[in-house]
Amino acid sequence: MGEYRSKVQNDEMDFLCDAILTLKTKEECYRFFDDICTINEIQALSQRMQVAKMLNEKRTYQDICSITGASTATISRVNRCLNYGSEGYNLVLKRLEGNNK
């Protein structure tokens, strides 16, 4: 398999990815994201991860909407990424699932 090239890949994004990859603990993640993101940005990112997890668990849009507060548009977008995206959600969800066993 060849090297993946993202639609958003550039030097600035490479620097951000390198920065994230230096984080070693959950506390370091909290500190970094507290500084780099607004509360709304952090909430949107964490909501999307919860939506992805619940879609992966085959939960219904109605359940996901009522539990997470995500709009059906957000749920649809995450679902599209899970099924036709760059495999980022699936990669992370599989690793998280493996860590919980």
Side-chain angles (χ1 to χ4, degrees):
M1 175 157 66
E3 184 176 329
Y4 175 74
R5 179 92 177 143
S6 169
K7 297 175 282 251
V8 297
Q9 190 168 351
N10 58 36
D11 289 343
E12 291 82 11
M13 189 63 185
D14 284 350
F15 186 68
L16 175 61
C17 289
D18 289 341
I20 291 169
L21 289 169
T22 68
L23 301 171
K24 294 185 179 9
T25 66
K26 200 177 288 187
E27 181 181 346
E28 287 180 357
C29 288
Y30 274 107
R31 289 170 177 259
F32 180 74
F33 285 102
D34 275 345
D35 284 348
I36 199 166
C37 295
T38 66
I39 297 290
N40 288 340
E41 290 167 337
I42 293 169
Q43 289 172 339
L45 292 171
S46 62
Q47 182 187 65
R48 287 182 202 142
M49 280 303 304
Q50 285 302 309
V51 168
K53 178 180 180 278
M54 294 176 79
L55 285 167
N56 199 47
E57 295 167 348
K58 308 297 185 213
R59 303 287 290 268
T60 66
Y61 275 38
Q62 185 176 353
D63 281 350
I64 296 168
C65 186
S66 65
I67 292 169
T68 66
S71 68
T72 55
T74 296
I75 298 168
S76 292
R77 181 185 185 286
V78 172
N79 193 43
R80 195 167 45 254
C81 289
L82 280 169
N83 292 307
Y84 308 108
S86 302
E87 293 294 314
Y89 279 122
N90 292 318
L91 176 72
V92 170
L93 289 170
K94 283 178 187 166
R95 287 183 181 168
L96 288 169
E97 191 176 278
N99 289 343
N100 291 330
K101 288 185 176 177

